[in-house]
Amino acid sequence: MDYIKAFMVGGIFCAIGQIFIDKTALTPAKLLTGYVCSGVILSLVGIYGKLVDFAGAGATVPLTGFGYTLFEGVKKAIGKNGFLGIFTGGLSATAGGIAAAVVFALLAALISKPKTK
């Protein structure tokens, strides 16, 4: 049942994104930024944590989950380090994901053979 919940929630996020791409003039970059910001806002009002408890990876893997992780890292760092936690918490919480993205992007760049358009 956990897989079904994760698939449904992640699929809903993807469907919403596709609708925005098809029906609006939003670029994918603006949409992705909006997803991260909406993850932070939904975490701030207490909704996203409940969604993570319900859907697990279906809520933490999409970009809204990145916003949730940033928010949780900042919240934890503020409790531990005070004002300085605003600047350090998000990076500390997401460092593993950012490092993995950089490493896999480097590997993809080394393996692929780019072509001009």
Side-chain angles (χ1 to χ4, degrees), residues 40 44 69-93:
V40 170
L44 179 65
T69 304
L70 284 171
F71 175 81
E72 291 297 320
V74 168
K75 186 171 81 171
K76 183 178 176 184
I78 287 174
K80 187 176 180 183
N81 302 328
F83 182 75
L84 188 61
I86 295 171
F87 305 105
T88 61
L91 290 174
S92 298

Side-chain angles (χ1 to χ4, degrees), residues 9-95:
V9 170
I12 289 169
F13 282 138
C14 292
I16 291 170
Q18 189 63 48
I19 290 168
F20 274 114
I21 288 173
D22 292 344
K23 302 292 183 187
T24 67
L26 289 174
T27 62
K30 289 179 182 178
L31 183 62
L32 297 176
T33 303
Y35 265 173
V36 173
C37 292
S38 65
V40 170
I41 292 167
L42 290 173
S43 298
L44 179 65
V45 295
I47 295 172
Y48 209 83
K50 294 175 185 172
L51 188 61
V52 168
D53 292 340
F54 173 76
T60 58
V61 171
L63 281 173
T64 48
F66 184 72
Y68 166 75
T69 304
L70 284 171
F71 175 81
E72 291 297 320
V74 168
K75 186 171 81 171
K76 183 178 176 184
I78 287 174
K80 187 176 180 183
N81 302 328
F83 182 75
L84 188 61
I86 295 171
F87 305 105
T88 61
L91 290 174
S92 298
T94 59

